[in-house]
């Protein structure tokens, strides 16, 4: 092969490589986060509970404890999409938004994530075992959890309660799916706030 033919061959090869790599461009990932209750949902808060309250620990099943958003395609099958992800840890985001919701519902700034690096002198603590927090496109997101209300001065829990709520997902996209996650978490927040008012002095 002479030099001219070799140059043409190398140029053709480079063109093919660039064309193939351009066609195979990986789509960019999209990131989502849970949102707290809006102002309209908290304009009439429950009776104020001005006591230090800890939220946590919050535990999640292993199949949900991942960066990708998990959707359910059937009762026994899950879908994990590499390009639709939580903006951070779902567990931490869940705790953060729950603290914001309870602070608004109980009209207090003394609700904290637990455990914390800060030394917290808590009156009450809410531990949550999340057993399901996923949904189907165009149907709904189900939050199934057992939460426990603890008085930090007593050995026995004040209350152990199962919570289950399904928030509808009217659209078949991830934006609607995540919005339904937030709605389900809002319902859990309201359930916890109602019990806190009942037990707190």
């Amino acid at each position: 092969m002479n030099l001219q033919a070799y140059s043409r061959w190398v140029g053709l090869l480079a063109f093919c490589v660039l064309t193939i790599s351009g066609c195979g461009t990986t789509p960019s990932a999209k990131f989502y986060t849970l949102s707290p209750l809006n102002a309209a949902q908290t304009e009439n808060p429950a009776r104020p509970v001005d006591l230090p309250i800890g939220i946590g620990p919050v535990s999640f099943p292993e199949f949900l404890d991942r960066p990708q958003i998990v959707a359910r395609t059937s009762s026994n099958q899950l879908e994990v999409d590499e390009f639709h992800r939580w903006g951070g840890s779902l567990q931490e985001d869940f705790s953060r938004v729950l603290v914001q919701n309870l602070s608004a519902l109980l009209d207090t700034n003394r609700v904290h994530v637990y455990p914390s690096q800060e030394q917290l002198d808590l009156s009450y603590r809410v531990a949550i075992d999340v057993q399901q927090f996923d949904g189907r496109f165009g149907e709904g997101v189900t939050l199934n959890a057992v939460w426990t209300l603890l008085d930090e001065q007593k050995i026995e829990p004040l209350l152990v309660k199962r919570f289950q709520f399904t928030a509808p997902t009217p659209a078949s996209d991830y934006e609607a799916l995540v919005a339904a996650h937030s709605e389900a978490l809002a319902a859990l927040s309201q359930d916890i706030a109602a019990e806190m008012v009942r037990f707190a002095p």
Side-chain angles (χ1 to χ4, degrees):
M1 181 182 294
N2 60 36
L3 182 59
Q4 186 176 8
Y6 178 77
S7 298
R8 284 200 302 269
W9 181 82
V10 170
L12 179 62
L13 179 62
F15 174 79
C16 291
V17 169
L18 289 172
T19 301
I20 292 171
S21 63
C23 292
T25 301
T26 303
S28 58
K30 294 183 178 180
F31 297 90
Y32 302 81
T33 185
L34 298 170
S35 57
L37 291 163
N38 59 45
Q41 293 171 302
T42 59
E43 62 182 1
N44 295 310
R47 176 172 62 81
V49 177
D50 194 24
L51 294 169
I53 302 166
I55 303 300
V58 176
S59 62
F60 275 82
E62 188 175 349
F63 71 87
L64 289 177
D65 189 18
R66 59 178 65 239
Q68 303 90 344
I69 295 175
V70 175
R72 192 172 289 272
T73 55
S74 71
S75 298
N76 300 304
Q77 188 172 16
L78 302 173
E79 176 182 274
V80 179
D81 193 311
E82 289 294 332
F83 301 106
H84 292 87
R85 294 173 168 247
W86 295 109
S89 160
L90 174 59
Q91 184 181 40
E92 292 178 3
D93 204 26
F94 185 101
S95 300
R96 175 187 63 82
V97 173
L98 184 54
V99 165
Q100 287 181 268
N101 287 349
L102 289 174
S103 297
L105 290 168
L106 298 173
D107 194 20
T108 180
N109 59 1
R110 303 180 73 186
V111 185
H112 311 273
V113 173
Y114 176 91
S116 169
Q117 294 181 347
E118 300 177 11
Q119 188 69 28
L120 300 175
D121 185 16
L122 301 175
S123 295
Y124 295 96
R125 184 164 56 86
V126 180
I128 305 168
D129 177 21
V130 177
Q131 298 175 356
Q132 181 183 354
F133 194 36
D134 56 56
R136 299 191 192 191
F137 293 108
E139 293 187 22
V141 167
T142 297
L143 172 55
N144 187 349
V146 176
W147 64 272
T148 304
L149 178 60
L150 300 156
D151 183 329
E152 294 294 77
Q153 306 303 317
K154 298 180 180 179
I155 298 175
E156 295 296 324
L158 296 174
L159 176 69
V160 178
K161 187 173 182 180
R162 175 170 292 280
F163 175 85
Q164 183 164 330
F165 181 87
T166 299
T169 52
S172 297
D173 56 41
Y174 279 93
E175 185 71 31
L177 194 72
V178 173
H181 278 78
S182 297
E183 186 179 340
L185 180 52
L188 174 62
S189 305
Q190 290 162 342
D191 188 55
I192 294 173
E195 297 293 354
M196 287 296 303
V197 168
R198 188 164 70 89
F199 278 94

